[in-house]
Amino acid sequence: MTNNTPLDTLSKYWGYERFRAPQEEIIQSALLGIDSLALLPTGGGKSICFQVPGLCRGGLTLVISPLVALMKDQVSRLNEKGIAATYINSSLAFHEIDRKLDLACEGTYRFLYLAPERIQNEVFQARLRRMPVQLLAVDEAHCISQWGYDFRPAYLEIHKIREVFPHIPIMALTASATVKVQKDIVEKLKLQSPEIFKKSFKRANLRYFVLKEENVTEKILEICTRVQGSGIVYARTRKRTEGLVKLLESKGLSAGFYHGGMSYSQRDEAQGKWIQQGFRIMVATNAFGMGIDKGDVRFVIHANLPTDIESYYQEAGRGGRDGQTALAIAFNNPIDLQEVKRWSEEKYPPWEQVQTHFEGICSYLKMHPSDKVSPVIEIDVAEVAHTLEIRPLKLYRSLQILNQEGVVNFQEGKDDFAYLQVTATPQTVLQYKAEHPDTERLIDYLLRTLGGTIYTQEQRFLPRSWARRLNMEEEELLHKLNRLHQHFLISYIPPKGMPSIQVLGPMRTLRKEEVNWDKYRFLRKQVMARFQEMESYIHQTDLCRSLFIQQYFGEKDHQPCGKCDVCIGRNKTQVSDKEFNRIQTALVRYLHRYPGTLYKEILHAVQAGSPAQKEKVLRYLLDKQVIQIAENGSLFLPK
């Protein structure tokens, strides 16, 4: 344990003078050696909750994270602060993983980020006992639960680290988890009498709206024009994001796009430009959102819905982090809902599809039955899908499952960054420079850029930018970096331009037992159940939007927000909630029995409420299309 207090550490490395609630309590729990589960909404500062106690406890903090991009981003941010951190995932070469694990055993790093799939790897297991681990942080902890969204089977192995280090605290963190998922996290991680920290899922400054519009695009344009300040528009596909940006720009609005088809540097540039007010509106797929630190987002629009409430809550929650009012707008669009349903169904495809796609990949890679594994091949998923005459999304879903189950190694990242670290002593580096004058300019630049620090800082950089600064061709720079790497002066990981794939095993007919297919049948049911909750949120007009979300996550005893479309509509009727529900129930029951009743007839027939109250409630229900009116003036309930 170091002598620095949590507040000293926060001030020294992050420049903040105080913690947000309940960060300090979570940190103290870790410092006292107590297991904890922290549920903090998007933007709640989860990473500080384990990074500060990790520094205060000393030794090594293991961080389990499923997101390669977030892993790299957090490591880069820590290194920029002079904190020794690194990551290990399957995108690294074997010798690079080996070297990093050895350095972790020697106490070089303060933080080691791991993809969950690495835990059972023999190379990692052989080193684990020798590492000075003082804290285990499990980020995105909801991934451990089959009842939650984004389930990752490898998370089920995390508890085995506790068997090696029985006395270290475990901190599990997530932005959203239902009560069932929370219980599952505690059970599956084998947390010991954990303290559970929760911030309410209520976001008092968010105003939720669900709009029924025939022309969604025109409405998005209207909102972006009328509402001042920064905004985010979420769309489902890359094509849709780019199309919306063209439309917004054609109307004089400043906008940029962000999606998974862009390289890491392009995404970094787009996000940085938006944060720095380079443009006002970010149009993005769900790839956007990790690590965003922008408080003044005044609106979040979902041009296309996500597949579940958890994702919607996290994405909408990127608005109003400064505590000021922000709009969270979604659309009740039947065509989009059908598309959401299709995406939900396709997330866990039929067995025959996965089996056929595996055979197709083996064929595409020209594998021979005698091959033990395939070579690592860079691929374009759309091109492979075209060759195999299947839809790209279906192939992508199959590859995700095959990758999770260790049948293939599928690296999605289009990473044009390179990663570099000085691994030799300054004396050795200077001696090499004297013996190889052609490297003088590069070595001087390296030492100046990295501050001469050994082991601790891993520099992320764009080779084309360095080549420009050094006034040399990019090919020459890469050649010299490879030489320094081969002579053990630096560790250098070149850019990975395209997604890659490797079949981990011989060409064969895939069997269900290899991938525990029963589990995926169960997960398919769960994802459809979550879609139905999302559909209910969009269609329902009875319950305050904020209350609906809070109740979904198991919260009770809150008041209606008074600001969402449901509350505003009800307030206009000037009828109490209790009386409103009584009148609505009576009107709906009557139409179930007597469909086709005329407007004046139903007001006369239904006895609940006064005539004025009945008319106000009926007009509201017609406006929300809970009840609909035919051309001949008769009323009916939509199917």
Side-chain angles (χ1 to χ4, degrees):
M1 192 82 71
T2 66
N3 292 324
N4 288 338
T5 68
L7 207 54
D8 290 339
T9 302
L10 182 74
S11 176
K12 177 180 178 182
Y13 291 107
W14 283 271
Y16 300 138
E17 296 306 316
R18 66 172 186 263
F19 290 103
R20 302 180 200 169
Q23 286 176 329
E24 193 163 17
E25 292 85 349
I26 297 168
I27 289 164
Q28 287 298 336
S29 180
L31 293 178
L32 292 170
I34 299 169
D35 289 349
S36 58
L37 168 59
L39 285 93
L40 297 179
T42 302
K46 292 191 296 295
S47 59
I48 280 178
C49 291
F50 61 82
Q51 288 171 350
V52 168
L55 292 170
C56 291
R57 285 181 69 88
L60 177 68
T61 296
L62 284 180
V63 185
I64 309 298
S65 174
L67 304 169
V68 173
L70 186 58
M71 223 186 273
K72 290 180 176 180
D73 182 65
Q74 289 200 7
V75 166
S76 293
R77 288 171 185 256
L78 288 168
N79 284 330
E80 286 166 7
K81 298 177 192 301
I83 299 168
T86 194
Y87 63 87
I88 290 174
N89 58 54
S90 53
S91 70
L92 300 176
F94 175 82
H95 70 275
E96 195 61 33
I97 293 172
D98 216 38
R99 185 189 68 82
K100 289 188 175 190
L101 289 173
D102 281 340
L103 292 175
C105 292
E106 293 169 12
T108 299
Y109 301 117
R110 303 301 304 276
F111 294 90
L112 173 59
Y113 283 72
L114 294 169
E117 288 77 11
R118 305 305 307 173
I119 294 169
Q120 286 301 98
N121 182 273
E122 291 179 6
V123 176
F124 174 71
Q125 286 290 320
R127 307 294 213 297
L128 181 59
R129 292 180 186 278
R130 291 164 40 205
M131 294 181 187
V133 179
Q134 292 296 314
L135 175 64
L136 173 62
V138 182
D139 204 5
E140 308 295 337
H142 60 269
C143 293
I144 205 168
S145 177
Q146 295 185 79
W147 297 102
Y149 73 111
D150 207 21
F151 173 67
R152 291 283 286 263
Y155 264 68
L156 297 172
E157 305 298 325
I158 295 174
H159 71 90
K160 293 181 180 177
I161 296 175
R162 164 57 67 71
E163 294 171 12
V164 180
F165 300 102
H167 303 300
I168 66 166
I170 299 177
M171 183 186 296
L173 307 104
T174 183
S176 56
T178 62
V179 173
K180 186 177 275 190
V181 172
Q182 292 171 40
K183 291 178 179 175
D184 222 18
I185 291 169
V186 172
E187 179 187 323
K188 296 292 196 311
L189 282 177
K190 299 189 177 177
L191 301 183
Q192 299 168 0
S193 304
E195 290 195 26
I196 298 178
F197 301 93
K198 287 194 244 182
K199 286 192 77 169
S200 172
F201 287 93
K202 182 177 183 179
R203 290 288 306 278
N205 62 318
L206 272 190
R207 300 184 67 188
Y208 296 99
F209 288 85
V210 175
L211 308 179
K212 197 168 180 69
E213 297 287 336
E214 287 187 12
N215 193 326
V216 169
T217 303
E218 283 298 317
K219 192 64 179 179
I220 290 170
L221 184 60
E222 179 192 330
I223 295 166
C224 290
T225 303
R226 291 176 59 186
V227 181
Q228 299 302 305
S230 294
I232 303 171
V233 179
Y234 279 105
R236 183 167 296 115
T237 65
R238 301 169 184 182
K239 184 177 180 181
R240 178 102 160 108
T241 63
E242 295 182 18
L244 282 170
V245 167
K246 285 181 182 176
L247 173 67
L248 293 170
E249 288 182 332
S250 73
K251 302 299 181 181
L253 299 171
S254 61
F257 57 80
Y258 184 112
H259 57 64
M262 301 162 69
S263 68
Y264 282 7
S265 68
Q266 288 172 326
R267 282 185 267 177
D268 263 23
E269 183 181 358
Q271 182 168 320
K273 193 173 179 183
W274 177 70
I275 287 172
Q276 298 301 321
Q277 313 293 350
F279 55 84
R280 190 166 70 89
I281 303 159
M282 177 66 87
V283 185
T285 64
N286 61 4
F288 179 69
M290 297 179 299
I292 290 177
D293 187 17
K294 186 172 175 66
D296 62 345
V297 177
R298 298 277 68 87
F299 60 90
V300 178
I301 302 172
H302 277 85
N304 300 109
L305 292 167
T307 58
D308 48 68
I309 296 290
E310 288 92 339
S311 300
Y312 179 73
Y313 174 74
Q314 288 196 37
E315 290 166 6
R318 292 181 177 122
R321 291 188 183 178
D322 57 3
Q324 302 301 308
T325 299
L327 304 177
I329 298 170
F331 294 95
N332 185 345
N333 182 331
I335 295 173
D336 186 52
L337 279 166
Q338 281 301 311
E339 188 71 2
V340 179
K341 184 178 181 181
R342 183 175 70 80
W343 274 57
S344 298
E345 289 170 339
E346 290 183 353
K347 183 170 184 179
Y348 297 109
W351 166 250
E352 293 74 19
Q353 175 182 310
V354 176
Q355 190 179 47
T356 301
H357 289 180
F358 175 71
E359 291 171 1
I361 287 294
C362 290
S363 174
Y364 182 86
L365 297 177
K366 296 181 171 58
M367 288 187 70
H368 190 272
S370 61
D371 293 341
K372 292 183 178 179
V373 296
S374 78
V376 179
I377 301 291
E378 287 191 345
I379 62 166
D380 181 321
V381 174
E383 181 185 301
V384 176
H386 178 74
T387 303
L388 299 176
E389 298 182 344
I390 52 182
R391 282 181 53 217
L393 179 60
K394 287 191 172 185
L395 176 61
Y396 175 71
R397 296 301 195 197
S398 295
L399 287 174
Q400 283 185 310
I401 290 174
L402 293 169
N403 183 64
Q404 285 188 2
E405 294 300 316
V407 177
V408 304
N409 182 7
F410 174 50
Q411 295 298 320
E412 299 180 48
K414 193 175 181 182
D415 192 356
D416 54 346
F417 281 110
Y419 299 84
L420 179 148
Q421 196 170 29
V422 176
T423 56
T425 64
Q427 294 83 356
T428 304
V429 174
L430 293 172
Q431 182 180 342
Y432 184 91
K433 183 177 76 168
E435 294 171 357
H436 302 83
D438 64 313
T439 64
E440 180 176 349
R441 198 157 32 119
L442 174 58
I443 287 176
D444 285 346
Y445 182 75
L446 283 179
L447 294 178
R448 189 166 66 250
T449 303
L450 301 180
T453 308
I454 307 304
Y455 298 138
T456 56
Q457 289 191 5
E458 183 170 76
Q459 178 75 24
R460 181 173 75 168
F461 69 99
L462 287 172
R464 62 178 178 270
S465 299
W466 275 24
R468 193 163 53 245
R469 290 172 197 162
L470 289 163
N471 196 26
M472 64 173 67
E473 294 295 323
E474 187 174 339
E475 188 176 344
E476 179 189 357
L477 170 66
L478 297 180
H479 173 71
K480 288 181 176 178
L481 289 171
N482 273 314
R483 271 177 56 198
L484 296 177
H485 178 76
Q486 288 163 7
H487 290 142
F488 304 105
L489 274 75
I490 65 171
S491 165
Y492 166 63
I493 304 170
K496 293 177 173 27
M498 292 287 289
S500 65
I501 191 167
Q502 180 183 31
V503 175
L504 303 173
M507 183 177 181
R508 62 199 183 276
T509 299
L510 198 63
R511 295 176 294 108
K512 289 183 179 180
E513 294 76 19
E514 291 185 67
V515 295
N516 187 10
W517 193 250
D518 286 343
K519 171 180 64 188
Y520 287 99
R521 273 205 297 255
F522 173 81
L523 291 173
R524 192 172 192 274
K525 289 180 182 177
Q526 293 307 306
V527 81
M528 293 311 297
R530 287 194 296 277
F531 160 72
Q532 287 166 6
E533 291 285 352
M534 188 74 241
E535 190 176 36
S536 295
Y537 174 81
I538 294 300
H539 283 320
Q540 69 89 27
T541 55
D542 298 337
L543 184 62
C544 162
R545 301 285 176 196
S546 181
L547 278 180
F548 186 102
I549 290 171
Q550 291 168 70
Q551 289 180 13
Y552 177 81
F553 289 116
E555 287 189 12
K556 299 176 182 177
D557 302 325
H558 286 293
Q559 295 298 312
C561 70
K563 303 173 184 176
C564 69
D565 64 295
V566 174
C567 289
I568 290 171
R570 285 195 173 193
N571 290 341
K572 284 180 180 177
T573 67
Q574 297 179 326
V575 179
S576 70
D577 282 349
K578 184 177 179 180
E579 193 66 10
F580 184 101
N581 289 333
R582 195 168 75 87
I583 296 169
Q584 176 177 343
T585 300
L587 290 168
V588 169
R589 280 179 179 169
Y590 192 88
L591 280 178
H592 268 302
R593 292 181 64 189
Y594 307 109
T597 302
L598 295 175
Y599 186 93
K600 288 186 177 179
E601 289 175 353
I602 197 171
L603 289 176
H604 178 73
V606 168
Q607 298 303 306
S610 69
Q613 288 175 327
K614 281 187 287 188
E615 187 157 12
K616 286 178 179 178
V617 173
L618 181 55
R619 284 179 179 173
Y620 172 81
L621 297 176
L622 285 166
D623 181 58
K624 290 297 181 180
Q625 299 194 38
V626 175
I627 294 173
Q628 294 183 3
I629 188 164
E631 290 182 6
N632 65 2
S634 63
L635 304 179
F636 64 95
L637 297 171
K639 294 180 180 178

